[in-house]
Structures are given as C-alpha cells and as structure tokens.
Amino acid sequence: MNLLKNLFILCLFASTLSFAEVCVSGRSTSWDATGASLGPNEKCYIKVNSTSSTTLSTGFVVTLDSATTNPYDVTAVTTAGAVPHCVLMETCALGAKCKCQTYGYMSNSKFKVTVAASTGHLVFLSETSAGYIQAEGKSTIAASDVPIGVFMETVTSTGDAKIFIKLR
C-alpha cells in the first residue's frame, strides 16, 4: 500500500513539472570559438496548451484563453489591453503543448509595423494582428497596455524582431 501511495505522489509531482517554469541560466552571454558574442542565453519558458483554431507560429505572443478554466490554455488575440502571457518558442497547433518564453532574448518575435521601433522602445501586443508585437508612440500608450519587454534593434518593416522578453 505504501508503494502505491509513493507511486501516486511521484506521478502527481511529475505531472505538475510538465507545466512548471524552466529557466536556463548561468552565463549572461554565450561566446563562440573565435570569441564573438552569440547573444544572451538566459531564458525562462513554460509549457502551454494552444486553444487557437489556427496553428500559431514561432514568435507569436499569446494570452491566457479566458474562455477556459485551464491556466495553461493560450490563444492569440488583438484585444486592446489584453495581458500577454508568453512568446511561443515553437510552432503550436490546436491542442498541442508547446514551449513559451517568459524571460530572455528572442531573435524571431513577429513584428507588425504600426510605428517603427527603435532599440530600447517598449514592446506591446499588436491590437490589429493576432500574435504579433508592435511599438507605440509615447502619446498612444494607454494605461491598460502591458509591455512585453524591449526591442533589441531598430525595426522599420514587418517581419522578425529581436526583443528581450520580461513577463515573469
């Protein structure tokens, strides 16, 4: 009986670990054999479950799905003032469990131009294109807007953007 109890506790613990936040840390910058910087390597991520009706791309920002009670269900929205939960580290189909970054450098977040972004500008969830990020002019930042992190480069056209995520 004690063995079954221990086995149950072990299974329960293992199931909670599948959604726990994982952080890869140590050095703040990686270097290649020639001494060139490969960029920051500290990242934190969680596992999430996609409830989106379409496959979500790597680099998409997702929010908690308010239509479910599962705290790991996420979807992409364009709702003004929606709270970003994390940025997908891999393509994520409906019902799939996927890695989603909550902290650290990301080189392929999806940027949609509404306002050009400069290095150091705040990153926000796009209010016009689900899953994308955008920059906002200082006069257009609303009190309900929640920053995702900061731009690590100047971006003037739609495509991938380098950002530092700070959602923990």
Side-chain angles (χ1 to χ4, degrees), residues 49-114:
N49 181 53
S50 173
T51 58
S52 180
S53 59
T54 60
T55 298
L56 302 173
S57 298
T58 301
F60 266 25
V61 178
V62 292
T63 61
L64 290 174
D65 188 346
S66 60
T68 73
T69 57
N70 183 341
Y72 301 101
D73 285 348
V74 296
T75 191
V77 299
T78 58
T79 309
V83 178
H85 191 56
C86 53
V87 184
L88 290 172
M89 298 175 75
E90 58 193 3
T91 300
C92 196
L94 173 63
K97 291 185 177 35
C98 307
K99 285 171 70 173
C100 202
Q101 192 169 331
T102 59
Y103 180 85
Y105 174 80
M106 177 176 268
S107 63
N108 59 347
S109 189
K110 303 303 179 207
F111 179 69
K112 191 68 125 182
V113 173
T114 51

Short mmCIF file of all heavy atoms in Angstrom, two decimals, residues 49-114:
data_model
loop_
_atom_site.label_atom_id
_atom_site.label_comp_id
_atom_site.label_asym_id
_atom_site.label_seq_id
_atom_site.Cartn_x
_atom_site.Cartn_y
_atom_site.Cartn_z
N ASN A 49 -0.79 25.14 -23.53
CA ASN A 49 -1.67 24.36 -24.40
C ASN A 49 -2.41 25.32 -25.32
O ASN A 49 -3.11 26.21 -24.84
CB ASN A 49 -2.66 23.57 -23.54
CG ASN A 49 -3.58 22.73 -24.37
OD1 ASN A 49 -3.14 21.95 -25.21
ND2 ASN A 49 -4.88 22.88 -24.14
N SER A 50 -2.28 25.15 -26.62
CA SER A 50 -2.94 26.06 -27.57
C SER A 50 -4.41 25.71 -27.74
O SER A 50 -4.76 24.56 -28.01
CB SER A 50 -2.26 25.99 -28.94
OG SER A 50 -2.99 26.75 -29.88
N THR A 51 -5.26 26.73 -27.60
CA THR A 51 -6.69 26.57 -27.88
C THR A 51 -7.08 27.37 -29.12
O THR A 51 -8.25 27.50 -29.44
CB THR A 51 -7.54 27.03 -26.68
OG1 THR A 51 -7.24 28.40 -26.40
CG2 THR A 51 -7.28 26.17 -25.45
N SER A 52 -6.08 27.90 -29.82
CA SER A 52 -6.34 28.69 -31.02
C SER A 52 -6.84 27.78 -32.14
O SER A 52 -6.37 26.66 -32.30
CB SER A 52 -5.06 29.39 -31.46
OG SER A 52 -5.28 30.15 -32.62
N SER A 53 -7.77 28.29 -32.93
CA SER A 53 -8.33 27.48 -34.03
C SER A 53 -7.34 27.33 -35.18
O SER A 53 -7.54 26.50 -36.06
CB SER A 53 -9.63 28.11 -34.53
OG SER A 53 -9.38 29.43 -34.97
N THR A 54 -6.29 28.13 -35.21
CA THR A 54 -5.26 28.01 -36.25
C THR A 54 -3.92 27.73 -35.60
O THR A 54 -3.72 28.00 -34.41
CB THR A 54 -5.14 29.32 -37.08
OG1 THR A 54 -4.79 30.38 -36.20
CG2 THR A 54 -6.44 29.65 -37.78
N THR A 55 -3.00 27.19 -36.37
CA THR A 55 -1.65 26.94 -35.86
C THR A 55 -0.95 28.27 -35.62
O THR A 55 -0.97 29.16 -36.46
CB THR A 55 -0.85 26.09 -36.87
OG1 THR A 55 -1.52 24.83 -37.02
CG2 THR A 55 0.56 25.85 -36.38
N LEU A 56 -0.35 28.40 -34.44
CA LEU A 56 0.35 29.62 -34.07
C LEU A 56 1.83 29.48 -34.40
O LEU A 56 2.43 28.45 -34.14
CB LEU A 56 0.16 29.89 -32.57
CG LEU A 56 -1.29 30.03 -32.11
CD1 LEU A 56 -1.36 30.12 -30.59
CD2 LEU A 56 -1.93 31.24 -32.75
N SER A 57 2.41 30.52 -34.96
CA SER A 57 3.80 30.49 -35.41
C SER A 57 4.77 30.76 -34.26
O SER A 57 4.43 31.42 -33.28
CB SER A 57 4.03 31.55 -36.48
OG SER A 57 3.23 31.30 -37.60
N THR A 58 6.00 30.28 -34.44
CA THR A 58 7.10 30.62 -33.54
C THR A 58 7.21 32.14 -33.49
O THR A 58 7.14 32.80 -34.52
CB THR A 58 8.42 30.04 -34.07
OG1 THR A 58 8.28 28.62 -34.17
CG2 THR A 58 9.58 30.39 -33.17
N GLY A 59 7.36 32.70 -32.30
CA GLY A 59 7.49 34.15 -32.15
C GLY A 59 6.18 34.87 -31.91
O GLY A 59 6.18 36.07 -31.67
N PHE A 60 5.06 34.16 -31.95
CA PHE A 60 3.76 34.78 -31.67
C PHE A 60 3.60 35.00 -30.16
O PHE A 60 3.98 34.16 -29.35
CB PHE A 60 2.61 33.90 -32.14
CG PHE A 60 2.10 34.22 -33.52
CD1 PHE A 60 2.90 34.85 -34.46
CD2 PHE A 60 0.82 33.88 -33.88
CE1 PHE A 60 2.42 35.14 -35.73
CE2 PHE A 60 0.33 34.16 -35.15
CZ PHE A 60 1.13 34.79 -36.07
N VAL A 61 3.01 36.13 -29.80
CA VAL A 61 2.66 36.42 -28.41
C VAL A 61 1.28 35.83 -28.15
O VAL A 61 0.37 35.99 -28.97
CB VAL A 61 2.62 37.93 -28.15
CG1 VAL A 61 2.21 38.21 -26.71
CG2 VAL A 61 3.97 38.55 -28.46
N VAL A 62 1.13 35.15 -27.02
CA VAL A 62 -0.16 34.55 -26.67
C VAL A 62 -0.63 35.07 -25.32
O VAL A 62 0.16 35.52 -24.50
CB VAL A 62 -0.11 33.01 -26.68
CG1 VAL A 62 0.09 32.47 -28.08
CG2 VAL A 62 0.98 32.49 -25.75
N THR A 63 -1.93 35.00 -25.12
CA THR A 63 -2.56 35.40 -23.86
C THR A 63 -3.31 34.19 -23.30
O THR A 63 -3.58 33.23 -24.03
CB THR A 63 -3.56 36.55 -24.07
OG1 THR A 63 -4.59 36.10 -24.96
CG2 THR A 63 -2.88 37.77 -24.66
N LEU A 64 -3.63 34.25 -22.02
CA LEU A 64 -4.45 33.19 -21.45
C LEU A 64 -5.81 33.20 -22.13
O LEU A 64 -6.35 34.27 -22.42
CB LEU A 64 -4.61 33.39 -19.95
CG LEU A 64 -3.35 33.15 -19.12
CD1 LEU A 64 -3.62 33.52 -17.66
CD2 LEU A 64 -2.89 31.72 -19.23
N ASP A 65 -6.36 32.02 -22.39
CA ASP A 65 -7.67 31.91 -23.02
C ASP A 65 -8.75 32.08 -21.95
O ASP A 65 -8.92 31.20 -21.11
CB ASP A 65 -7.80 30.56 -23.72
CG ASP A 65 -9.06 30.45 -24.56
OD1 ASP A 65 -9.97 31.30 -24.40
OD2 ASP A 65 -9.14 29.53 -25.37
N SER A 66 -9.44 33.19 -21.99
CA SER A 66 -10.45 33.47 -20.97
C SER A 66 -11.71 32.61 -21.12
O SER A 66 -12.57 32.62 -20.24
CB SER A 66 -10.83 34.95 -21.00
OG SER A 66 -11.35 35.28 -22.28
N ALA A 67 -11.82 31.86 -22.21
CA ALA A 67 -12.99 31.00 -22.41
C ALA A 67 -12.85 29.64 -21.73
O ALA A 67 -13.78 28.85 -21.74
CB ALA A 67 -13.23 30.81 -23.91
N THR A 68 -11.67 29.36 -21.15
CA THR A 68 -11.47 28.08 -20.47
C THR A 68 -11.07 28.33 -19.02
O THR A 68 -10.74 29.45 -18.63
CB THR A 68 -10.36 27.24 -21.15
OG1 THR A 68 -9.09 27.81 -20.85
CG2 THR A 68 -10.56 27.16 -22.64
N THR A 69 -11.05 27.26 -18.24
CA THR A 69 -10.63 27.38 -16.83
C THR A 69 -9.24 26.80 -16.62
O THR A 69 -8.74 26.81 -15.51
CB THR A 69 -11.64 26.67 -15.90
OG1 THR A 69 -11.75 25.30 -16.31
CG2 THR A 69 -12.99 27.34 -15.94
N ASN A 70 -8.62 26.27 -17.67
CA ASN A 70 -7.28 25.71 -17.56
C ASN A 70 -6.26 26.86 -17.59
O ASN A 70 -6.22 27.61 -18.57
CB ASN A 70 -7.02 24.73 -18.71
CG ASN A 70 -5.67 24.07 -18.62
OD1 ASN A 70 -4.75 24.53 -17.93
ND2 ASN A 70 -5.52 22.97 -19.33
N PRO A 71 -5.43 27.00 -16.57
CA PRO A 71 -4.49 28.13 -16.55
C PRO A 71 -3.34 28.02 -17.54
O PRO A 71 -2.50 28.91 -17.61
CB PRO A 71 -3.97 28.11 -15.11
CG PRO A 71 -4.12 26.69 -14.68
CD PRO A 71 -5.35 26.18 -15.38
N TYR A 72 -3.30 26.95 -18.34
CA TYR A 72 -2.24 26.79 -19.34
C TYR A 72 -2.77 26.88 -20.76
O TYR A 72 -2.02 26.73 -21.71
CB TYR A 72 -1.51 25.46 -19.12
CG TYR A 72 -0.89 25.41 -17.76
CD1 TYR A 72 -1.48 24.71 -16.72
CD2 TYR A 72 0.27 26.13 -17.48
CE1 TYR A 72 -0.92 24.70 -15.45
CE2 TYR A 72 0.83 26.14 -16.22
CZ TYR A 72 0.23 25.42 -15.21
OH TYR A 72 0.78 25.43 -13.96
N ASP A 73 -4.06 27.14 -20.93
CA ASP A 73 -4.65 27.32 -22.25
C ASP A 73 -4.36 28.73 -22.74
O ASP A 73 -4.64 29.71 -22.04
CB ASP A 73 -6.16 27.08 -22.22
CG ASP A 73 -6.53 25.62 -22.11
OD1 ASP A 73 -5.63 24.78 -22.29
OD2 ASP A 73 -7.71 25.32 -21.85
N VAL A 74 -3.81 28.84 -23.95
CA VAL A 74 -3.47 30.15 -24.52
C VAL A 74 -4.00 30.28 -25.93
O VAL A 74 -4.27 29.30 -26.61
CB VAL A 74 -1.93 30.38 -24.53
CG1 VAL A 74 -1.37 30.43 -23.12
CG2 VAL A 74 -1.21 29.33 -25.36
N THR A 75 -4.14 31.54 -26.35
CA THR A 75 -4.57 31.85 -27.70
C THR A 75 -3.99 33.20 -28.10
O THR A 75 -3.47 33.92 -27.26
CB THR A 75 -6.12 31.85 -27.79
OG1 THR A 75 -6.51 31.91 -29.15
CG2 THR A 75 -6.73 32.99 -27.01
N ALA A 76 -4.07 33.52 -29.38
CA ALA A 76 -3.59 34.81 -29.88
C ALA A 76 -4.79 35.73 -30.05
O ALA A 76 -5.81 35.32 -30.59
CB ALA A 76 -2.86 34.63 -31.21
N VAL A 77 -4.68 36.97 -29.55
CA VAL A 77 -5.80 37.92 -29.63
C VAL A 77 -5.30 39.29 -30.08
O VAL A 77 -4.10 39.56 -30.08
CB VAL A 77 -6.52 38.07 -28.27
CG1 VAL A 77 -7.10 36.77 -27.80
CG2 VAL A 77 -5.59 38.65 -27.21
N THR A 78 -6.25 40.16 -30.43
CA THR A 78 -5.93 41.55 -30.77
C THR A 78 -6.65 42.50 -29.82
O THR A 78 -6.79 43.67 -30.11
CB THR A 78 -6.35 41.87 -32.22
OG1 THR A 78 -7.74 41.63 -32.35
CG2 THR A 78 -5.58 41.04 -33.21
N THR A 79 -7.09 42.00 -28.70
CA THR A 79 -7.86 42.80 -27.76
C THR A 79 -6.99 43.87 -27.11
O THR A 79 -5.95 43.56 -26.51
CB THR A 79 -8.45 41.89 -26.65
OG1 THR A 79 -9.13 40.81 -27.27
CG2 THR A 79 -9.39 42.66 -25.75
N ALA A 80 -7.41 45.11 -27.21
CA ALA A 80 -6.68 46.20 -26.56
C ALA A 80 -6.65 45.96 -25.06
O ALA A 80 -7.67 45.62 -24.46
CB ALA A 80 -7.33 47.53 -26.87
N GLY A 81 -5.48 46.09 -24.46
CA GLY A 81 -5.35 45.89 -23.02
C GLY A 81 -5.22 44.45 -22.60
O GLY A 81 -5.12 44.16 -21.40
N ALA A 82 -5.20 43.49 -23.55
CA ALA A 82 -5.01 42.08 -23.19
C ALA A 82 -3.64 41.90 -22.56
O ALA A 82 -2.67 42.55 -22.96
CB ALA A 82 -5.15 41.20 -24.43
N VAL A 83 -3.56 41.04 -21.58
CA VAL A 83 -2.30 40.82 -20.88
C VAL A 83 -1.52 39.69 -21.56
O VAL A 83 -1.98 38.56 -21.62
CB VAL A 83 -2.55 40.46 -19.40
CG1 VAL A 83 -1.25 40.18 -18.68
CG2 VAL A 83 -3.32 41.58 -18.71
N PRO A 84 -0.33 40.00 -22.10
CA PRO A 84 0.48 38.96 -22.74
C PRO A 84 0.96 37.95 -21.71
O PRO A 84 1.28 38.32 -20.58
CB PRO A 84 1.64 39.73 -23.35
CG PRO A 84 1.68 41.03 -22.64
CD PRO A 84 0.31 41.31 -22.13
N HIS A 85 0.94 36.68 -22.08
CA HIS A 85 1.34 35.61 -21.15
C HIS A 85 2.76 35.13 -21.44
O HIS A 85 3.54 34.93 -20.52
CB HIS A 85 0.34 34.46 -21.25
CG HIS A 85 0.49 33.44 -20.18
ND1 HIS A 85 0.43 33.75 -18.84
CD2 HIS A 85 0.69 32.10 -20.24
CE1 HIS A 85 0.60 32.65 -18.12
NE2 HIS A 85 0.75 31.64 -18.95
N CYS A 86 3.08 34.94 -22.74
CA CYS A 86 4.40 34.46 -23.12
C CYS A 86 4.54 34.53 -24.65
O CYS A 86 3.58 34.85 -25.34
CB CYS A 86 4.65 33.04 -22.62
SG CYS A 86 3.37 31.84 -23.07
N VAL A 87 5.74 34.23 -25.15
CA VAL A 87 6.03 34.27 -26.59
C VAL A 87 6.44 32.85 -27.02
O VAL A 87 7.36 32.27 -26.44
CB VAL A 87 7.15 35.28 -26.92
CG1 VAL A 87 7.37 35.36 -28.42
CG2 VAL A 87 6.82 36.66 -26.36
N LEU A 88 5.74 32.31 -28.01
CA LEU A 88 5.97 30.92 -28.42
C LEU A 88 7.39 30.71 -28.95
O LEU A 88 7.88 31.48 -29.77
CB LEU A 88 4.97 30.51 -29.49
CG LEU A 88 3.54 30.34 -29.00
CD1 LEU A 88 2.59 30.12 -30.17
CD2 LEU A 88 3.43 29.18 -28.01
N MET A 89 8.03 29.64 -28.49
CA MET A 89 9.38 29.28 -28.92
C MET A 89 9.33 28.26 -30.06
O MET A 89 10.37 27.87 -30.59
CB MET A 89 10.17 28.70 -27.75
CG MET A 89 10.37 29.69 -26.61
SD MET A 89 11.17 28.95 -25.17
CE MET A 89 12.86 28.81 -25.75
N GLU A 90 8.13 27.80 -30.41
CA GLU A 90 7.95 26.80 -31.46
C GLU A 90 6.55 26.94 -32.04
O GLU A 90 5.68 27.54 -31.43
CB GLU A 90 8.17 25.40 -30.90
CG GLU A 90 7.24 25.05 -29.74
CD GLU A 90 7.65 23.79 -28.99
OE1 GLU A 90 8.70 23.20 -29.32
OE2 GLU A 90 6.92 23.39 -28.08
N THR A 91 6.34 26.39 -33.23
CA THR A 91 5.02 26.38 -33.85
C THR A 91 4.09 25.55 -32.97
O THR A 91 4.49 24.51 -32.45
CB THR A 91 5.10 25.79 -35.26
OG1 THR A 91 6.00 26.61 -36.03
CG2 THR A 91 3.75 25.75 -35.94
N CYS A 92 2.85 26.00 -32.81
CA CYS A 92 1.95 25.36 -31.86
C CYS A 92 0.56 25.17 -32.49
O CYS A 92 -0.14 26.14 -32.77
CB CYS A 92 1.85 26.23 -30.61
SG CYS A 92 1.17 25.38 -29.18
N ALA A 93 0.18 23.92 -32.71
CA ALA A 93 -1.13 23.59 -33.30
C ALA A 93 -2.19 23.48 -32.21
O ALA A 93 -1.87 23.38 -31.02
CB ALA A 93 -1.02 22.27 -34.06
N LEU A 94 -3.44 23.47 -32.60
CA LEU A 94 -4.56 23.34 -31.67
C LEU A 94 -4.37 22.09 -30.81
O LEU A 94 -4.13 21.00 -31.31
CB LEU A 94 -5.88 23.23 -32.44
CG LEU A 94 -7.13 22.93 -31.61
CD1 LEU A 94 -7.41 24.05 -30.63
CD2 LEU A 94 -8.32 22.71 -32.52
N GLY A 95 -4.45 22.26 -29.49
CA GLY A 95 -4.34 21.15 -28.55
C GLY A 95 -2.92 20.72 -28.23
O GLY A 95 -2.71 19.88 -27.37
N ALA A 96 -1.94 21.30 -28.89
CA ALA A 96 -0.54 20.92 -28.66
C ALA A 96 0.00 21.61 -27.41
O ALA A 96 -0.40 22.71 -27.07
CB ALA A 96 0.32 21.28 -29.86
N LYS A 97 0.92 20.92 -26.73
CA LYS A 97 1.64 21.51 -25.61
C LYS A 97 2.96 22.04 -26.17
O LYS A 97 3.72 21.30 -26.78
CB LYS A 97 1.86 20.49 -24.52
CG LYS A 97 0.55 20.12 -23.85
CD LYS A 97 0.73 19.21 -22.69
CE LYS A 97 -0.55 18.90 -21.98
NZ LYS A 97 -1.74 18.78 -22.75
N CYS A 98 3.24 23.32 -25.97
CA CYS A 98 4.36 23.97 -26.61
C CYS A 98 5.17 24.81 -25.63
O CYS A 98 4.63 25.31 -24.63
CB CYS A 98 3.85 24.88 -27.72
SG CYS A 98 2.77 24.02 -28.88
N LYS A 99 6.47 25.01 -25.95
CA LYS A 99 7.33 25.87 -25.14
C LYS A 99 7.00 27.33 -25.43
O LYS A 99 6.88 27.71 -26.58
CB LYS A 99 8.80 25.60 -25.46
CG LYS A 99 9.33 24.31 -24.87
CD LYS A 99 10.71 23.97 -25.38
CE LYS A 99 11.78 24.87 -24.87
NZ LYS A 99 13.13 24.41 -25.24
N CYS A 100 6.91 28.11 -24.36
CA CYS A 100 6.54 29.51 -24.49
C CYS A 100 7.42 30.34 -23.56
O CYS A 100 7.41 30.13 -22.34
CB CYS A 100 5.05 29.65 -24.15
SG CYS A 100 4.29 31.12 -24.84
N GLN A 101 8.16 31.27 -24.11
CA GLN A 101 9.17 32.02 -23.38
C GLN A 101 8.57 33.16 -22.55
O GLN A 101 7.75 33.93 -23.04
CB GLN A 101 10.20 32.57 -24.36
CG GLN A 101 11.43 33.12 -23.71
CD GLN A 101 12.54 33.40 -24.72
OE1 GLN A 101 12.61 32.76 -25.76
NE2 GLN A 101 13.37 34.36 -24.40
N THR A 102 9.03 33.26 -21.28
CA THR A 102 8.55 34.31 -20.38
C THR A 102 9.64 35.32 -20.03
O THR A 102 9.35 36.38 -19.49
CB THR A 102 8.03 33.71 -19.06
OG1 THR A 102 9.10 32.96 -18.44
CG2 THR A 102 6.83 32.82 -19.29
N TYR A 103 10.90 34.98 -20.34
CA TYR A 103 12.02 35.87 -19.98
C TYR A 103 13.20 35.57 -20.89
O TYR A 103 13.47 34.43 -21.21
CB TYR A 103 12.42 35.63 -18.52
CG TYR A 103 13.57 36.49 -18.06
CD1 TYR A 103 13.35 37.77 -17.59
CD2 TYR A 103 14.88 36.03 -18.11
CE1 TYR A 103 14.40 38.58 -17.17
CE2 TYR A 103 15.93 36.84 -17.70
CZ TYR A 103 15.69 38.11 -17.22
OH TYR A 103 16.73 38.90 -16.82
N GLY A 104 13.89 36.62 -21.29
CA GLY A 104 15.14 36.47 -22.02
C GLY A 104 15.07 36.97 -23.46
O GLY A 104 14.05 37.48 -23.93
N TYR A 105 16.18 36.80 -24.14
CA TYR A 105 16.37 37.28 -25.51
C TYR A 105 15.68 36.36 -26.51
O TYR A 105 15.76 35.14 -26.40
CB TYR A 105 17.87 37.34 -25.80
CG TYR A 105 18.22 37.69 -27.23
CD1 TYR A 105 18.18 39.00 -27.67
CD2 TYR A 105 18.60 36.70 -28.12
CE1 TYR A 105 18.51 39.33 -28.97
CE2 TYR A 105 18.94 37.01 -29.42
CZ TYR A 105 18.89 38.32 -29.84
OH TYR A 105 19.22 38.64 -31.14
N MET A 106 14.99 36.95 -27.49
CA MET A 106 14.38 36.18 -28.58
C MET A 106 14.65 36.92 -29.88
O MET A 106 14.44 38.13 -29.97
CB MET A 106 12.89 36.01 -28.39
CG MET A 106 12.22 35.27 -29.56
SD MET A 106 10.47 34.95 -29.32
CE MET A 106 10.56 33.32 -28.59
N SER A 107 15.12 36.19 -30.88
CA SER A 107 15.51 36.84 -32.14
C SER A 107 14.43 36.78 -33.22
O SER A 107 14.58 37.39 -34.27
CB SER A 107 16.79 36.20 -32.69
OG SER A 107 16.55 34.84 -32.98
N ASN A 108 13.34 36.07 -32.98
CA ASN A 108 12.34 35.91 -34.05
C ASN A 108 10.91 36.16 -33.60
O ASN A 108 10.00 35.48 -34.01
CB ASN A 108 12.47 34.53 -34.68
CG ASN A 108 12.29 33.42 -33.67
OD1 ASN A 108 12.30 33.64 -32.47
ND2 ASN A 108 12.13 32.21 -34.15
N SER A 109 10.72 37.18 -32.79
CA SER A 109 9.36 37.58 -32.43
C SER A 109 8.73 38.26 -33.65
O SER A 109 9.41 38.94 -34.41
CB SER A 109 9.39 38.54 -31.25
OG SER A 109 8.09 38.76 -30.78
N LYS A 110 7.47 38.05 -33.86
CA LYS A 110 6.79 38.55 -35.06
C LYS A 110 6.34 40.00 -34.88
O LYS A 110 5.50 40.29 -34.03
CB LYS A 110 5.59 37.67 -35.41
CG LYS A 110 5.94 36.21 -35.63
CD LYS A 110 6.98 36.05 -36.71
CE LYS A 110 7.36 34.61 -36.90
NZ LYS A 110 8.68 34.41 -37.40
N PHE A 111 6.89 40.91 -35.70
CA PHE A 111 6.64 42.34 -35.60
C PHE A 111 5.75 42.81 -36.74
O PHE A 111 5.96 42.46 -37.89
CB PHE A 111 7.97 43.10 -35.65
CG PHE A 111 7.84 44.60 -35.59
CD1 PHE A 111 7.42 45.22 -34.43
CD2 PHE A 111 8.14 45.38 -36.69
CE1 PHE A 111 7.31 46.61 -34.37
CE2 PHE A 111 8.03 46.76 -36.64
CZ PHE A 111 7.61 47.38 -35.47
N LYS A 112 4.74 43.60 -36.42
CA LYS A 112 3.84 44.19 -37.42
C LYS A 112 3.97 45.70 -37.28
O LYS A 112 3.74 46.25 -36.21
CB LYS A 112 2.40 43.75 -37.15
CG LYS A 112 1.44 44.08 -38.23
CD LYS A 112 1.72 43.27 -39.47
CE LYS A 112 0.52 42.52 -39.93
NZ LYS A 112 0.72 41.69 -41.07
N VAL A 113 4.35 46.37 -38.36
CA VAL A 113 4.60 47.81 -38.31
C VAL A 113 3.31 48.60 -38.15
O VAL A 113 2.39 48.48 -38.95
CB VAL A 113 5.35 48.30 -39.57
CG1 VAL A 113 5.45 49.81 -39.57
CG2 VAL A 113 6.72 47.70 -39.64
N THR A 114 3.23 49.34 -37.07
CA THR A 114 2.24 50.41 -36.91
C THR A 114 3.04 51.69 -36.67
O THR A 114 2.71 52.73 -37.19
CB THR A 114 1.29 50.14 -35.74
OG1 THR A 114 2.05 49.84 -34.57
CG2 THR A 114 0.36 48.99 -36.04
#
